[in-house]
């Protein structure tokens, strides 16, 4: 039976980055993912915000053109509010290529990545896998998504508040549109969240998300209705891809770590409760998770695990949790029209710009621990 220092369950962005950072600290790391190819089962739009682009070395050739304009629409779709930044605020990534890049980076650092292998369960460090022999792991990292099985097996907290999202992605004719992010506040198609079109001049992403209990006709039907006349959508010039999945919006979970392992990414609730963005949080928390796990495995001191504290992170964005509750309460077109009317004011536009263009959608996470073995790595 193979023994590893760390078993990472899930080869998404959070899992692969955590694996890479741990392998660079000379730990024996294995990653397993039930998918046979990382280009399948993609659940994220792939929108990277400026803050992420500034702080992490994302491969430029895997990112689309910059987007500076955001248009906010009421349910009537009339007279949208246009917000324009003097900097590129968003870039949409080729997520299949981003995952493959992260896969290669993890393996180059020394991690072993096994695809087509499903995590079954674990107890006392003994891990059963479907598609591979069982392993013994000193530590397990749960990067297995919003409904994490690892979290349950480790006795850690689990996500309980979700949006459900779905989108279609397709190429558009080059040079026919100006890159823009169109956001529609309409509870008839996206109760508690938004419908969106982000078109960077190469690809269009058209999606909706909301609370599943309010989506009486089903999300696929709502998405198709929205896409039929979504503002800013250009005609497809190639194959149409569908994506979707749950989005945890209850904030970072309180109990994230124990002596047997910890959680990262969606499994940890590392998603902005207001904007539902998870790419920036997953990268930031992966750095802290890797630093904490490596120091704990090096010293055996369980007090190190207290650094990976969900309560401390939650306390730093109470305002966003409050705004999420307010957002969730907009359940009628009249209320949505009124909310957009408030945003038309000077103060409302400033608030919208702060949310959409600000640098604080997710709290800063300091990964520094007294472990001089590795400098902060650049890039994925």
């Amino acid at each position: 039976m193979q023994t590893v220092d760390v078993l990472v369950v899930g080869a998404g962005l959070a899992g692969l980055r955590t694996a890479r950072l741990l392998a660079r600290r000379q730990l024996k790391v294995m990653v397993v993912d039930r998918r046979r190819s990382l280009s399948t089962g993609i659940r994220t739009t792939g929108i990277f915000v400026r803050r992420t682009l500034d702080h992490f070395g994302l491969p430029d050739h895997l990112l689309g053109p910059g987007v500076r304009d955001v248009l906010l629409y009421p349910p009537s779709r009339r007279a949208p509010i246009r917000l324009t930044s003097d900097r590129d605020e968003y870039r949409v990534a080729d997520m299949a290529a981003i995952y493959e890049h992260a896969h290669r980076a993890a393996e180059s650092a020394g991690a072993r990545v096994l695809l087509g292998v499903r995590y079954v369960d674990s107890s006392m460090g003994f891990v059963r896998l479907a598609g591979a022999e069982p392993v013994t792991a000193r530590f397990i990292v749960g990067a297995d998504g919003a409904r994490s099985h690892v979290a349950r097996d480790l006795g850690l907290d689990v996500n309980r508040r979700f949006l459900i999202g779905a989108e279609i992605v397709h190429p558009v004719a080059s040079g026919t549109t100006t890159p823009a992010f169109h956001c529609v506040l309409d509870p008839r198609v996206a109760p508690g969240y938004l419908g969106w079109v982000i078109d960077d001049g190469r690809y269009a992403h058209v999606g909706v998300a909301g609370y599943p209990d309010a989506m009486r006709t089903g999300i696929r039907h709502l998405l198709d209705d929205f896409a039929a006349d979504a503002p800013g959508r250009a005609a497809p010039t190639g194959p149409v891809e569908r994506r979707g999945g749950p989005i945890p919006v209850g904030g970072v979970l309180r109990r994230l770590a124990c002596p047997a392992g910890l959680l990262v990414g969606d499994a940890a609730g590392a998603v902005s409760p207001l904007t539902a963005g998870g790419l920036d949080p997953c990268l930031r928390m992966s750095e802290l998770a890797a630093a904490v796990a490596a120091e704990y495995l090096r010293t055996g001191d369980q007090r190190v695990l207290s650094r990976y504290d969900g309560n401390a992170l939650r306390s730093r964005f109470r305002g966003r949790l409050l705004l999420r509750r307010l957002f969730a309460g907009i359940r009628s077109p009249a209320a949505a029209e009124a909310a957009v009317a408030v945003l038309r004011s000077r103060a409302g536009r400033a608030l919208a710009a702060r949310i959409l263009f600000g640098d604080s959608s997710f709290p800063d996470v300091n990964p520094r621990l007294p472990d001089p073995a590795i400098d902060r790595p650049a890039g994925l």
Side-chain angles (χ1 to χ4, degrees):
M1 184 183 302
Q2 186 171 179
T3 298
V4 298
D5 293 315
V6 183
L7 176 71
V8 179
V9 181
L13 203 56
L16 290 170
R17 182 168 181 81
T18 305
R20 178 194 177 192
L21 297 177
L22 288 168
R24 291 185 65 177
R25 288 170 165 87
Q26 309 306 310
L27 293 166
K28 187 176 182 181
V29 180
M30 176 187 289
V31 183
V32 297
D33 194 290
R34 66 191 305 168
R35 294 174 294 168
R36 296 186 180 279
S37 169
L38 297 185
S39 64
T40 62
I42 296 173
R43 294 189 170 188
T44 176
T45 298
I47 301 173
F48 285 94
V49 298
R50 174 173 50 80
R51 185 177 184 228
T52 315
L53 301 172
D54 288 346
H55 292 184
F56 297 96
L58 299 168
D60 190 73
H61 67 286
L62 302 182
L63 300 168
V67 177
R68 299 187 175 194
D69 288 327
V70 176
L71 289 87
L72 303 175
Y73 296 78
S76 65
R77 316 285 173 89
R78 293 192 296 268
I81 302 168
R82 179 182 289 270
L83 301 171
T84 301
S85 174
D86 57 1
R87 298 175 289 185
D88 291 342
E89 295 290 345
Y90 305 98
R91 295 181 71 180
V92 185
D94 178 348
M95 286 308 298
I98 287 283
Y99 287 138
E100 186 52 41
H101 174 81
H103 180 184
R104 292 194 303 269
E107 290 191 323
S108 295
R112 185 183 180 199
V113 180
L114 301 180
L115 301 181
V117 174
R118 180 173 60 86
Y119 169 88
V120 177
D121 57 30
S122 62
S123 178
M124 304 294 289
F126 177 79
V127 184
R128 292 195 304 152
L129 304 170
E133 294 298 317
V135 300
T136 299
R138 295 173 60 198
F139 201 74
I140 301 174
V141 172
D144 53 333
R147 296 189 173 100
S148 171
H149 292 283
V150 172
R152 290 179 171 84
D153 288 346
L154 296 182
L156 299 174
D157 286 351
V158 296
N159 293 296
R160 301 194 182 280
R161 297 185 63 196
F162 297 94
L163 301 175
I164 189 76
E167 72 170 8
I168 56 177
V169 184
H170 59 75
V172 297
S174 178
T176 60
T177 58
T178 300
F181 194 174
H182 303 264
C183 300
V184 180
L185 183 59
D186 186 347
R188 294 169 297 187
V189 297
Y193 194 61
L194 299 167
W196 67 87
V197 176
I198 186 162
D199 179 347
D200 63 8
R202 298 195 311 183
Y203 284 85
H205 293 249
V206 183
V208 297
Y211 289 102
D213 62 336
M215 292 182 166
R216 294 181 177 83
T217 59
I219 191 166
R220 186 182 181 110
H221 178 77
L222 290 173
L223 173 59
D224 290 342
D225 280 355
F226 176 70
D229 62 352
R233 184 190 179 189
T237 60
V240 175
E241 174 191 353
R242 286 185 177 265
R243 301 178 181 176
I247 308 167
V249 289
V252 175
L253 300 175
R254 289 179 170 83
R255 190 160 184 257
L256 296 174
C258 67
L262 56 72
L263 308 175
V264 294
D266 282 6
V271 175
S272 169
L274 177 57
T275 65
L279 295 175
D280 184 74
C282 89
L283 291 174
R284 294 183 189 282
M285 285 192 66
S286 294
E287 291 201 338
L288 179 59
V292 166
E295 180 69 5
Y296 168 64
L297 291 172
R298 185 178 70 85
T299 65
D301 184 354
Q302 294 187 18
R303 292 174 298 179
V304 173
L305 298 173
S306 66
R307 284 287 309 275
Y308 199 63
D309 180 11
N311 281 314
L313 287 170
R314 289 178 68 86
S315 68
R316 294 160 63 185
F317 55 98
R318 289 174 182 151
R320 299 176 189 88
L321 287 166
L322 175 60
L323 287 171
R324 160 52 39 201
R325 288 193 287 271
L326 293 174
F327 206 171
I330 300 174
R331 294 296 180 99
S332 71
E337 291 280 354
V340 175
V342 170
L343 294 177
R344 295 185 190 281
S345 68
R346 182 175 180 180
R349 291 177 66 90
L351 174 62
R354 182 176 178 182
I355 292 170
L356 293 166
F357 300 153
D359 290 330
S360 56
S361 64
F362 195 82
D364 284 320
V365 176
N366 181 7
R368 291 296 186 187
L369 285 171
D371 180 1
I374 185 171
D375 293 326
R376 175 189 172 114
L380 284 171

